[in-house]
Amino acid sequence: MRFIPTAVHGPIDYVVGLLLVFAPWAGGFAAGGAETWVPVALGVLTIGASLLTDYEWGVVRLIPVPTHLTFDLGSGMLLAASPWLFGFADRVWGPHLLVGLFEIAAALCTQTVAGRARGPAALGAPGRAY
């Protein structure tokens, strides 16, 4: 059931991206290994993908929403599994698992079409909406 509009998903993307970038230091698990750099890298990629997504919060609208949501799903799965995949579950796993599961849920619950028309139809001109 996809009940989250893309207009709501967009800000969530930016907040989660920033959270992931700063979480290792704010959460006290910035040891310099995978526990630090997996969330940082995924946070930077999340912000980058958001800037390039064809939705209300995109700046350069190149990535279709379904592709963006597939990235979010994969990113969430990698983040959630990373403590065990990269061998740091004995030191920290909660933040990675929780934020990863949140990303998975957001990807599965977000509508796949942006909530506004674009192109000529958005301007009131005849023609095809993109």
Side-chain angles (χ1 to χ4, degrees), residues 16-117:
V16 168
L18 288 171
L19 172 72
L20 288 171
V21 169
F22 294 108
W25 292 273
F29 55 88
E35 70 281 351
T36 303
W37 299 111
V38 168
V40 170
L42 291 176
V44 169
L45 289 172
T46 296
I47 293 168
S50 299
L51 290 168
L52 297 175
T53 296
D54 185 16
Y55 64 179
E56 296 86 348
W57 292 83
V59 175
V60 180
R61 296 177 173 160
L62 300 175
I63 301 172
V65 172
T67 302
H68 173 100
L69 296 176
T70 301
F71 166 79
D72 282 353
L73 181 64
S75 173
M77 291 168 57
L78 177 60
L79 184 63
S82 66
W84 297 275
L85 286 175
F86 299 109
F88 58 85
D90 58 327
R91 295 182 306 279
V92 62
W93 57 268
H96 299 76
L97 179 62
L98 291 174
V99 177
L101 292 175
F102 177 81
E103 279 192 89
I104 292 167
L108 294 174
C109 294
T110 297
Q111 297 167 354
T112 59
V113 177
R116 47 62 182 134

